[in-house]
C-alpha cells in the first residue's frame, strides 16, 4: 500500500472509531445538558465547547503534557502497563475524542431540547421506565440530531491537523493521517501530491455536507418533498 493510501486508511479508521466512541460518550452528556437545571450545567457546557475556540495546538500541547511521562494520565497508563500514548494511534483517538466532542454533543443537545415533555409524560403513564422512554421515545425523535452529530464528527475528524500533529507526529502507517500527509508534501514542495490529496478532501467535505442537508430535510416532519 502506498503512503498516500496508508494515510487515507488511517484517517478513515481514526474518524470511524472517534465517531463511534463519541456517540456513546456524548449522548448522556448531551441529554444531561438538555434536561438538567443544575448549577454546573453552564460551566460544563463551556468545557464541552472549549475545543471550538481553543487553537488546536494549545489543546494538543496540554494533551501532550498530560499523556507524557510526567503527566498524570501518562503516569497512570504506564502503571497500568499500557505505555505512553503520545505518538501512537491510541493517542490520536484520545485527542480526537476530546477535540471533536462539541461536534457530537451540541447537535444531540439541540435535538433533545426539541422533544416535547408531554410525550415522555405519556410514556411514563404507561409505566415505561426512564430507560424505556429514552430508547423508545427520545432516540427515534432525535434521529436527525444523531445523524448530524455522526456526520459532523466524522467529517471534522477527517480534517483535524493541529491536534493530531502535536500528539501523533508524522509516523507512516501509525499516526500520519491525511492532513499531516498534505502538510509534509507542501513542506517538501511536492505540490502535485498535495493538490490531489487536498482536492480529494475538498470533494469529500462537499459531498458529506450536501448529503447531510438532504437527509436532514427528509427526516424533518412536515417537509414538502
Amino acid at each position: 500500500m502506498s503512503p498516500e493510501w496508508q494515510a487515507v486508511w488511517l484517517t478513515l479508521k481514526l474518524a470511524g472509531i472517534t465517531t463511534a466512541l463519541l456517540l456513546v460518550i456524548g449522548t448522556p452528556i448531551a441529554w444531561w445538558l438538555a434536561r438538567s437545571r443544575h448549577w454546573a450545567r453552564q460551566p460544563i457546557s463551556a468545557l464541552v465547547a472549549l475545543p471550538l475556540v481553543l487553537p488546536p495546538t494549545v489543546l494538543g500541547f496540554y494533551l501532550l503534557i498530560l499523556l507524557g511521562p510526567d503527566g498524570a494520565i501518562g503516569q497512570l497508563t504506564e502503571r497500568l502497563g499500557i505505555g505512553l500514548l503520545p505518538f501512537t494511534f491510541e493517542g490520536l483517538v484520545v485527542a480526537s475524542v476530546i477535540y471533536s466532542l462539541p461536534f457530537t454533543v451540541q447537535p444531540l443537545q439541540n435535538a433533545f431540547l426539541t422533544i416535547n415533555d408531554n410525550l415522555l409524560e405519556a410514556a411514563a403513564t404507561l409505566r415505561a421506565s426512564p430507560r424505556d422512554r429514552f430508547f423508545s421515545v427520545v432516540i427515534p425523535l432525535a434521529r436527525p440530531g444523531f445523524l448530524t452529530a455522526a456526520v459532523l464528527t466524522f467529517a471534522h475528524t477527517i480534517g483535524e491537523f493541529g491536534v493530531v500533529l502535536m500528539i501523533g507526529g508524522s509516523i507512516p502507517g501509525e499516526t500520519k493521517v491525511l492532513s499531516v500527509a498534505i502538510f509534509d508534501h507542501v513542506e517538501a514542495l511536492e505540490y502535485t501530491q498535495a493538490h490531489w490529496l487536498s482536492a480529494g478532501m475538498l470533494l469529500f467535505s462537499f459531498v458529506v455536507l450536501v448529503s447531510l442537508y438532504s437527509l436532514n430535510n427528509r427526516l424533518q416532519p412536515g417537509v414538502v418533498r
Side-chain angles (χ1 to χ4, degrees), residues 113-200:
L113 285 171
T114 63
I115 296 175
N116 194 323
D117 288 340
N118 293 333
L119 297 174
L120 297 174
E121 291 171 3
T125 61
L126 298 174
R127 297 185 177 180
S129 66
R131 179 179 177 181
D132 290 335
R133 295 198 296 269
F134 186 80
F135 284 100
S136 62
V137 178
V138 173
I139 288 184
L141 291 176
R143 186 171 56 171
F146 278 97
L147 174 64
T148 301
V151 172
L152 288 181
T153 301
F154 189 89
H156 181 254
T157 305
I158 292 284
E160 287 176 0
F161 174 68
V163 169
V164 294
L165 183 62
M166 292 287 286
I167 292 295
S170 180
I171 305 173
E174 181 68 24
T175 63
K176 189 174 184 177
V177 294
L178 263 176
S179 57
V180 176
I182 293 171
F183 175 78
D184 287 347
H185 283 310
V186 172
E187 197 172 40
L189 302 180
E190 298 169 349
Y191 292 139
T192 301
Q193 295 91 326
H195 165 72
W196 282 111
L197 291 177
S198 299

Side-chain angles (χ1 to χ4, degrees), residues 8-77:
V8 170
W9 161 244
L10 195 65
T11 303
L12 293 175
K13 180 182 175 184
L14 176 64
I17 293 174
T18 299
T19 302
L21 288 174
L22 276 176
L23 286 175
V24 174
I25 296 169
T27 297
I29 296 175
W31 178 250
W32 185 83
L33 290 174
R35 314 301 292 189
S36 175
R37 294 298 176 263
H38 195 273
W39 66 266
R41 178 174 170 270
Q42 296 301 331
I44 292 176
S45 294
L47 190 63
V48 169
L50 204 56
L52 294 175
V53 296
L54 269 182
T57 49
V58 171
L59 183 60
F61 171 69
Y62 283 112
L63 283 175
L64 193 61
I65 292 176
L66 282 172
L67 300 176
D70 296 325
I73 298 177
Q75 291 177 1
L76 177 62
T77 55

Side-chain angles (χ1 to χ4, degrees), residues 75-83:
Q75 291 177 1
L76 177 62
T77 55
E78 284 197 304
R79 289 196 194 100
L80 294 175
I82 300 173

Side-chain angles (χ1 to χ4, degrees), residues 158 178 182 195-209:
I158 292 284
L178 263 176
I182 293 171
H195 165 72
W196 282 111
L197 291 177
S198 299
M201 289 189 70
L202 179 62
L203 179 61
F204 169 81
S205 300
F206 179 75
V207 170
V208 163
L209 290 176

